[in-house]
Amino acid sequence: MDNLTIQPQSQPVSHLAETQAKFKGMHPDCIILMRSKDWYVTANEDAVTVSETLGITLTKTKHGEKQAGFPYTALDIYLPKLIRAGHRVAITDLI
């Protein structure tokens, strides 16, 4: 019998995490907020920072990625809180 190497299956990456990584690569010093319909969302390490800074819920996607978000109508409340806490923020559409 041949020696077979079993490769662990990598978990699929969500569109949210993929887009987050793309923009994080361009703006590594910023929290990336992405507009998705009526929400601003963020993923992974930025989600943890946003959750802790704003006191909002940190959740996980079905892929196990951390995410946090808030309604787009709350941007005027939450963006100044992030900036006052010393964070730089980049905003984009979830494309």
Side-chain angles (χ1 to χ4, degrees), residues 23-92:
F23 285 101
K24 195 68 169 178
M26 293 187 288
H27 305 284
D29 59 333
C30 294
I31 289 173
I32 308 297
L33 287 179
M34 296 166 284
R35 173 87 184 254
S36 177
K37 298 182 183 177
D38 292 340
W39 289 83
Y40 280 100
V41 294
T42 190
N44 300 320
E45 68 276 353
D46 285 350
V48 174
T49 301
V50 167
S51 173
E52 291 173 352
T53 303
L54 301 179
I56 62 176
T57 302
L58 179 67
T59 62
K60 285 188 179 183
T61 68
K62 64 182 177 182
H63 302 292
E65 301 151 349
K66 296 173 185 162
Q67 70 177 13
F70 54 85
Y72 79 97
T73 55
L75 183 65
D76 291 342
I77 296 166
Y78 288 136
L79 183 58
K81 287 183 180 184
L82 290 168
I83 293 169
R84 280 194 300 269
H87 302 293
R88 294 185 65 186
V89 180
I91 301 174
T92 187

